[in-house]
Amino acid sequence: MLYICIVNKKEKILTAALELLVEKGIHNTPMSAIAKAASTGMGTIYNYFPNKEILINEIYLRIKEDEKSAFVAFDTSMPIKTQFENYSTSIINFFINNPSYFKFMEQLQASPIITQESRAEGNKSIEPVALLLKQGQQERIIKNIAIDEILMFIGGAVLSYLRWYFSQSKTSATSLKNQTQMVWDAIKE
Amino acid sequence: MLYICIVNKKEKILTAALELLVEKGIHNTPMSAIAKAASTGMGTIYNYFPNKEILINEIYLRIKEDEKSAFVAFDTSMPIKTQFENYSTSIINFFINNPSYFKFMEQLQASPIITQESRAEGNKSIEPVALLLKQGQQERIIKNIAIDEILMFIGGAVLSYLRWYFSQSKTSATSLKNQTQMVWDAIKE
Amino acid sequence: MLYICIVNKKEKILTAALELLVEKGIHNTPMSAIAKAASTGMGTIYNYFPNKEILINEIYLRIKEDEKSAFVAFDTSMPIKTQFENYSTSIINFFINNPSYFKFMEQLQASPIITQESRAEGNKSIEPVALLLKQGQQERIIKNIAIDEILMFIGGAVLSYLRWYFSQSKTSATSLKNQTQMVWDAIKE
Amino acid sequence: MLYICIVNKKEKILTAALELLVEKGIHNTPMSAIAKAASTGMGTIYNYFPNKEILINEIYLRIKEDEKSAFVAFDTSMPIKTQFENYSTSIINFFINNPSYFKFMEQLQASPIITQESRAEGNKSIEPVALLLKQGQQERIIKNIAIDEILMFIGGAVLSYLRWYFSQSKTSATSLKNQTQMVWDAIKE
DNA sequence: AATGAATGAGACTTCATTCAT
DNA sequence: GATGAATGAAGTCTCATTCAT
């Protein structure tokens, strides 16, 4: 089998698993169903992922990876507020365009299935934001609060906005603007 | 058996269940473990709760009930900002004083186990806040954004603060103040 | 409590149990349901019947008892054919008038729950018929076949007629006559 | 695994289940016991049969299938009485040679576990007999009674004969002849 | 590498029976 | 005698994982 096929097989499993996990929930998604949806045998999944938890962690890491690559690097020539707005908007649009990513994160955010390693790895995606905030604090644009606390605040705001977004049948065009405004007002000096 | 004993038995089950659920996660907490922890037979649990999901929903509702009663009514003679700070502080302290309540909510927030009925019932606890915000908007103190969106924002901020709080080994005394400040700055006009 | 009450209590239990057993089936009829239907506590049932199987056997014996008393003694001055027809008709009418008796027997006929003792006791109800048949054989009216075999044949015919009767929505008036005719033709010399 | 093995596994389960069901009764035969007797894991049974009831229905249908194939087609050149005797004898011998089939049918005849679909399917096995009887009625050899009623009568007679047969320790060679005689006398004009 | 039938531990749930009141 | 809450053994069924092919 060609290399490209093997890649496809692993990808197919990850994709099928994600789709089922967000649709049915983790504990209503047996490995057999994933195998079926990915058109593979159950044993094949175990060739790529030693067990179900590792498969799920890998999905988690893929999403975080994707999240990172979706955000184009900060343009440091721009004002911090602009940079922040760009980040905030792009991260939210990322999840709006990938609803299953959001549903997956919602479901697994607090789950003991995601290991400390995965979380640590995943948190790397916000490092650039931490740097931006730090710079903002030096310039006395951002409140002088522990970076961790601010980051958590922003994260919570993003999640809650998305939660609200997906619960609405129709979203006003201004809601994202409102959201960005609120977050900025919250963290700005 | 005395009436007081019967009450204790149900309470013991709810307490034991909560403790185990937050410690091990829902799907690593078999009913048998709950029975053992509550020092009852497994059948006894089913005398009080028709099934596991209903038991979990009842815990959810108990917490919401407790949450409501923990918050003393708004003192409408006070400025809106003060009222909001009181609310914000009391809700956060409530969960800080009941860490397992928070862990339970974290885990079940997005779970399909919590029924629509439970959620609707639970949401009643934020009605007074909605009213306060509406009044604040009329007085042009609060941003003119859909109440739903603001409420979701506040909820997300509270959760993320608590998440941060419990992840810290040592919390600075000012962090809660910072948090309250950020939220207020976010929603104020 | 008055004696009459105690009697009533036992009867109520037996009646409620019969009703539920034929409606839901033995294994969908918990003792708790019987207690509820009989408006007693579960413990009370165990005061009268050591366990569920004994309760069921007692119902069986009651029906057999009732069956015996429902059939008026043979009038030996009548022709044997007439006596047999009377018997056949009365036994069938007995079950037609007590459908739950029939449904109970259908369900428990072949069940290991009914003990050998109960069966032996129950078979006493057909002793007069055995005597009648014996007499008929001596008079060369009835086929010279082992009484046991004939009795089983008649029993099977009665059951199958009733089964057919209860499966019909509308029964022709002649069907019982046909049935009696068939059985008589079968056993007559 | 070879195809022949797979077939064997399903057959082994069906055979083991039948053996246990007739020996212990349905409700004293846990799936675990069937698995043990069939030398499989419990899960294997559920690979072939979605649940216990379906397993039992499949046994029922297998027996009916077997019953059909055991009876060679009517030889229409023979007199109706001969054809009927052949049928009657072959059906009884079928069950005498397969005692567990009989015990199974005895136990499940009136059970709600056997679905309407299974019953309908199973009843196909008596269609040829219905046709034979109809022809007999046209030739005025068989009594002019609803075919349904006659069929039920014959079925009851067969069952009761078998019941008697298996209750005897020693059976006279003539009993089957007697039985056939009785049934024929019952239904003949 | 790919497969999927086989496995059995373990989940949820029921219910006959007991026993303190 | 009457009660019914408490019990836990035992039932049905699921599913992560293995391994022979």
Side-chain angles (χ1 to χ4, degrees):
Chain A
M1 189 166 283
L2 296 172
Y3 180 66
I4 202 165
C5 285
I6 293 171
V7 169
N8 280 347
K9 199 137 267 229
K10 190 170 182 182
E11 291 312 315
K12 264 178 100 173
I13 292 167
L14 286 166
T15 309
L18 174 62
E19 227 49 56
L20 283 170
L21 288 172
V22 302
E23 190 188 341
K24 308 268 186 187
I26 294 180
H27 294 283
N28 291 310
T29 303
M31 293 296 263
S32 57
I34 296 174
K36 205 173 181 182
S39 315
T40 65
M42 242 153 57
T44 307
I45 297 181
Y46 283 86
N47 282 338
Y48 294 110
F49 310 97
N51 59 49
K52 196 182 184 182
E53 301 212 344
I54 289 176
L55 166 60
I56 290 171
N57 274 273
E58 193 134 335
I59 294 174
Y60 177 87
L61 290 172
R62 289 296 183 100
I63 293 176
K64 283 292 183 185
E65 203 66 33
D66 222 0
E67 188 184 323
K68 241 188 291 184
S69 70
F71 176 64
V72 286
F74 289 110
D75 178 347
T76 49
S77 70
M78 306 277 262
I80 286 182
K81 185 177 176 184
T82 309
Q83 288 185 56
F84 181 78
E85 282 172 354
N86 285 348
Y87 165 74
S88 187
T89 307
S90 75
I91 197 78
I92 284 174
N93 279 327
F94 172 74
F95 282 112
I96 285 178
N97 295 328
N98 297 281
S100 44
Y101 285 7
F102 170 69
K103 284 172 196 157
F104 180 91
M105 286 298 171
E106 269 281 271
Q107 195 180 157
L108 281 131
Q109 184 80 323
S111 164
I113 292 176
I114 304 300
T115 63
Q116 280 310 316
E117 289 78 36
S118 296
R119 281 182 212 280
E121 181 64 29
N123 279 339
K124 287 187 186 161
S125 70
I126 52 172
E127 270 170 16
V129 188
L131 289 173
L132 181 71
L133 293 172
K134 238 174 253 175
Q135 196 199 331
Q137 286 180 331
Q138 276 160 5
E139 301 181 16
R140 302 209 52 193
I141 293 169
I142 300 292
K143 285 196 180 82
N144 186 28
I145 296 177
I147 296 290
D148 267 3
E149 194 174 352
I150 301 182
L151 281 172
M152 196 64 93
F153 181 89
I154 295 171
V158 167
L159 272 185
S160 70
Y161 175 74
L162 290 165
R163 209 173 285 145
W164 178 79
Y165 177 88
F166 285 114
S167 74
Q168 303 297 104
S169 46
K170 221 175 132 188
T171 319
S172 87
T174 54
S175 71
L176 177 52
K177 229 179 129 182
N178 291 336
Q179 160 72 12
T180 314
Q181 181 71 54
M182 282 197 284
V183 176
W184 179 254
D185 288 349
I187 67 174
K188 79 155 187 242
E189 180 99 1
Chain B
M1 188 161 286
L2 296 173
Y3 181 66
I4 203 163
C5 284
I6 293 170
V7 168
N8 281 347
K9 197 133 267 222
K10 190 170 182 182
E11 290 315 314
K12 263 178 98 174
I13 291 167
L14 285 166
T15 309
L18 175 61
E19 227 50 56
L20 282 169
L21 288 172
V22 302
E23 189 189 339
K24 309 270 187 184
I26 294 179
H27 294 284
N28 289 309
T29 303
M31 293 298 262
S32 58
I34 296 173
K36 209 173 185 179
S39 316
T40 67
M42 238 158 50
T44 306
I45 298 181
Y46 285 88
N47 281 344
Y48 293 109
F49 310 97
N51 59 51
K52 195 182 184 181
E53 301 213 343
I54 289 177
L55 167 60
I56 291 171
N57 274 274
E58 193 136 333
I59 294 174
Y60 176 87
L61 291 171
R62 289 293 184 101
I63 293 176
K64 283 292 182 183
E65 202 64 35
D66 222 0
E67 188 184 323
K68 241 187 290 184
S69 70
F71 176 66
V72 286
F74 290 111
D75 178 349
T76 50
S77 70
M78 307 277 261
I80 284 181
K81 185 177 178 187
T82 309
Q83 288 184 55
F84 181 79
E85 281 172 354
N86 286 347
Y87 166 76
S88 186
T89 307
S90 76
I91 198 80
I92 284 174
N93 279 326
F94 171 75
F95 282 111
I96 285 179
N97 295 329
N98 298 281
S100 42
Y101 284 7
F102 168 68
K103 284 173 196 157
F104 180 90
M105 285 299 172
E106 268 281 271
Q107 196 180 157
L108 280 131
Q109 185 80 325
S111 164
I113 292 177
I114 304 299
T115 63
Q116 281 308 317
E117 289 78 36
S118 296
R119 278 181 214 281
E121 181 64 31
N123 279 339
K124 286 186 185 163
S125 69
I126 52 170
E127 270 170 18
V129 188
L131 288 173
L132 181 71
L133 293 172
K134 239 174 252 175
Q135 196 199 332
Q137 287 181 331
Q138 275 160 5
E139 300 181 16
R140 305 209 49 194
I141 294 168
I142 300 291
K143 286 196 178 83
N144 187 28
I145 297 177
I147 296 289
D148 268 4
E149 193 174 353
I150 301 182
L151 280 172
M152 196 66 93
F153 182 89
I154 295 171
V158 167
L159 273 185
S160 71
Y161 175 74
L162 289 165
R163 209 174 287 144
W164 177 79
Y165 177 90
F166 286 114
S167 73
Q168 302 299 103
S169 45
K170 219 176 131 188
T171 319
S172 87
T174 54
S175 71
L176 176 53
K177 233 181 124 180
N178 291 336
Q179 160 73 13
T180 313
Q181 182 70 55
M182 282 196 283
V183 176
W184 178 255
D185 287 348
I187 66 174
K188 79 154 187 240
E189 181 99 1
Chain C
M1 187 167 285
L2 297 172
Y3 180 65
I4 202 164
C5 286
I6 294 170
V7 169
N8 281 347
K9 200 138 264 229
K10 189 169 183 184
E11 291 312 314
K12 265 177 99 174
I13 292 167
L14 286 166
T15 309
L18 174 62
E19 227 50 56
L20 283 170
L21 288 172
V22 301
E23 192 189 339
K24 309 269 187 185
I26 293 179
H27 294 281
N28 290 310
T29 303
M31 293 296 263
S32 57
I34 296 173
K36 205 173 183 183
S39 314
T40 66
M42 242 153 58
T44 308
I45 297 181
Y46 283 85
N47 283 338
Y48 293 110
F49 311 96
N51 60 49
K52 196 182 184 182
E53 301 213 342
I54 288 177
L55 166 61
I56 291 171
N57 275 273
E58 192 135 336
I59 295 174
Y60 176 87
L61 290 171
R62 289 296 184 98
I63 293 176
K64 284 291 183 184
E65 201 67 33
D66 222 359
E67 187 184 323
K68 242 189 289 183
S69 70
F71 176 65
V72 286
F74 290 111
D75 178 347
T76 49
S77 69
M78 307 278 261
I80 285 180
K81 185 177 177 185
T82 309
Q83 289 185 53
F84 181 78
E85 282 172 356
N86 286 348
Y87 166 74
S88 186
T89 306
S90 75
I91 197 79
I92 284 174
N93 279 327
F94 171 74
F95 282 111
I96 285 178
N97 294 328
N98 297 282
S100 45
Y101 285 7
F102 170 69
K103 283 173 196 157
F104 180 91
M105 286 298 171
E106 269 280 272
Q107 195 180 156
L108 281 132
Q109 184 79 326
S111 164
I113 292 176
I114 304 300
T115 62
Q116 280 310 315
E117 289 78 36
S118 295
R119 279 181 213 281
E121 181 64 29
N123 280 338
K124 286 187 187 162
S125 70
I126 52 171
E127 269 170 16
V129 188
L131 289 173
L132 181 71
L133 292 172
K134 239 174 250 173
Q135 195 200 332
Q137 287 181 329
Q138 276 160 4
E139 300 182 15
R140 303 209 49 195
I141 293 168
I142 300 291
K143 285 196 181 83
N144 187 29
I145 296 177
I147 295 291
D148 268 4
E149 193 175 353
I150 301 183
L151 281 171
M152 197 64 94
F153 181 89
I154 295 170
V158 166
L159 272 185
S160 70
Y161 175 74
L162 289 164
R163 209 173 285 144
W164 179 78
Y165 177 89
F166 285 115
S167 74
Q168 303 297 104
S169 45
K170 220 177 133 187
T171 319
S172 85
T174 54
S175 71
L176 177 52
K177 231 179 127 183
N178 291 336
Q179 159 72 13
T180 313
Q181 181 71 53
M182 282 197 283
V183 176
W184 178 254
D185 288 348
I187 66 174
K188 79 153 188 244
E189 180 97 1
Chain D
M1 188 163 286
L2 296 174
Y3 181 65
I4 203 164
C5 285
I6 293 170
V7 168
N8 281 347
K9 199 133 265 222
K10 190 170 183 183
E11 291 314 314
K12 262 177 100 173
I13 291 168
L14 285 167
T15 309
L18 175 62
E19 226 51 57
L20 283 170
L21 288 172
V22 302
E23 191 188 339
K24 308 269 189 186
I26 294 178
H27 295 284
N28 289 310
T29 303
M31 294 298 262
S32 57
I34 296 173
K36 209 173 186 178
S39 316
T40 66
M42 234 160 51
T44 307
I45 298 181
Y46 285 88
N47 282 343
Y48 293 109
F49 311 98
N51 59 50
K52 196 182 184 181
E53 301 213 342
I54 288 178
L55 167 60
I56 291 171
N57 274 273
E58 192 136 335
I59 295 174
Y60 176 87
L61 290 172
R62 290 294 184 100
I63 293 176
K64 284 290 182 185
E65 203 66 34
D66 222 1
E67 187 184 323
K68 243 187 288 184
S69 69
F71 176 65
V72 286
F74 290 110
D75 178 349
T76 49
S77 68
M78 307 277 262
I80 285 181
K81 185 177 177 184
T82 309
Q83 289 185 54
F84 181 79
E85 280 171 356
N86 286 348
Y87 165 75
S88 185
T89 307
S90 76
I91 198 79
I92 284 174
N93 279 327
F94 172 75
F95 282 112
I96 284 178
N97 295 328
N98 298 282
S100 43
Y101 285 8
F102 169 68
K103 284 173 195 158
F104 180 90
M105 286 298 172
E106 267 281 271
Q107 196 180 156
L108 281 133
Q109 186 79 325
S111 165
I113 292 177
I114 304 298
T115 63
Q116 281 309 316
E117 289 77 38
S118 295
R119 279 181 214 281
E121 181 64 30
N123 279 339
K124 287 186 186 163
S125 69
I126 52 170
E127 269 171 17
V129 188
L131 288 174
L132 182 71
L133 293 172
K134 240 173 250 175
Q135 195 198 333
Q137 287 181 330
Q138 277 161 2
E139 301 181 16
R140 305 210 48 195
I141 293 169
I142 300 292
K143 285 196 179 81
N144 187 28
I145 295 176
I147 295 290
D148 267 5
E149 194 174 352
I150 301 182
L151 281 171
M152 196 65 93
F153 182 89
I154 295 171
V158 166
L159 273 185
S160 69
Y161 175 74
L162 289 164
R163 209 174 288 144
W164 177 79
Y165 177 89
F166 286 114
S167 73
Q168 301 299 104
S169 45
K170 220 175 128 188
T171 319
S172 86
T174 54
S175 70
L176 176 53
K177 231 181 125 183
N178 291 335
Q179 160 73 13
T180 313
Q181 181 72 53
M182 282 197 284
V183 176
W184 179 254
D185 289 347
I187 66 174
K188 78 155 187 238
E189 180 101 359

